[in-house]
Amino acid sequence: MSSSNTYNVAIVGATGAVGQKMLETLEDRSFPVNHLKLLSSSRSAGTKVKYKGETLVVEEATPESFKGVDIALFSAGGSVSKKLAPEAVKHGALVIDNTSAYRMAEDVPLVVPEVNEADIEHHKGIIANPNCSTIQMVAALEPVRKAYGLSRVIVSTYQAVSGAGNEAAEELRAQSQAFLDGEELEANLLPVKGDEKHYPIAFNALPQIDMFEESGYTFEEMKMINETKKIMHQPDLSVAATCVRLPFFTSHAESVYIEVENQNASVEDVKQLLANAPGIVLEDDPSTQTYPTPLSAAEKRDVFVGRIRKDPDHENGFHLWVVSDNLLKGAAWNSVQIAERVVANGWL
Ligand SMILES: NC(=O)c1ccc[n+]([C@@H]2O[C@H](COP(=O)([O-])OP(=O)(O)OC[C@H]3O[C@@H](n4cnc5c(N)ncnc54)[C@H](OP(=O)(O)O)[C@@H]3O)[C@@H](O)[C@H]2O)c1
């Protein structure tokens, strides 16, 4: 640790969609930073970035980059985390990793502070940040699970292009312009960079996020299924997901169906619980058309919930609409929030 309870922090992937938000969030939250190191690939090394009025120069990430670093926030893809996170740990840094590289590893806590903050304490150098779609869903469901028990979750997502990084946002911009100009749409990236076919995202909906598994589910869907069970410490929870990419820039929206164990829960009870839950904002009033949308949730750290209804046929079934900024609560804010809890509790 550096002097007077301040910390040397590194951001790996500092020029990316998530990395840029990490920088903003550290500044917004006045995180006690002593020295900030910004790391990327050699492509962006030398880029100048402003932090608290100071100009910082982005450096290429190497194993030696982590000397003297206390906390390293990783957001540069799974292969970079696999290669460099162990190096950071060797140099004594605590890694908070945004990629899927370590999420399901047994000795790595997978943390959403509103749900399982206590798991942080058992870290062995790496703490994983869950998938963006998982984070907002479990944050919204945990108060209900705690009060009434949860037996089943079925979620359909409506996910923003920024979830696939800066390049995907650029592709949406270019295709939208081409569509309006009556030109042919060029698709080079979505639904998945590494897959064989690419489809336009502008004015479209793509029911594929990440590659397909043999089961017919995509990796994104399996992340939601497996991560939810791990974070909630409920391996027998029934979870199914359908993940869809839509042509807007920021915030993921989710239609979530749940079944609770308690027979007596009412819509009013669920609303009351969520209205008082940390990190959750209830926006639910059909009489005034009040509900969250991707635009209304963008640039905010909270998870917004609306459209809470009882299932017409299932006594214990409820439907919810959950929206949050995928780059903030879904990524940068959840990571910085973990770092804040680490520092506050002396868990470094
Ligand atoms: N976007 C989201 O909503 C979201 C949410 C949760 C988790 N994540 C995860 O966070 C990671 C980054 O996502 P993103 O959306 O920010 O992607 P992005 O916009 O494409 O940014 C990628 C970042 O990684 C850096 N990078 C790439 N290859 C590198 C290498 N070999 N060594 C060091 N740095 C390298 C890039 O640097 P250059 O500028 O040099 O290319 C850039 O800073 C991914 O693993 C993603 O799954 C994203």
Side-chain angles (χ1 to χ4, degrees), residues 13 15-18 40-41 43-44 75-77 80 98-99 162-163 165-166 326-327:
T15 51
V18 174
S40 71
S41 79
R43 288 182 295 272
S44 300
S75 185
V80 177
N98 244 286
T99 77
S162 62
N166 279 336
N326 55 301
L327 297 173

Side-chain angles (χ1 to χ4, degrees), residues 12-20 39-45 47 58-61 74-81 83-84 97-100 103 129-133 135 160-168 223 245 252 325-328 330-332:
V12 187
T15 51
V18 174
Q20 288 163 344
L39 303 166
S40 71
S41 79
S42 56
R43 288 182 295 272
S44 300
T47 305
V58 177
E59 298 167 39
E60 181 180 357
F74 270 73
S75 185
S79 57
V80 177
S81 290
K83 191 171 137 209
L84 292 181
D97 183 33
N98 244 286
T99 77
S100 56
R103 286 181 192 151
N129 204 66
N131 175 265
C132 40
S133 322
I135 293 178
V161 288
S162 62
N166 279 336
E167 264 185 273
K223 282 177 210 165
R245 185 82 67 198
H252 294 341
D325 187 321
N326 55 301
L327 297 173
L328 288 176

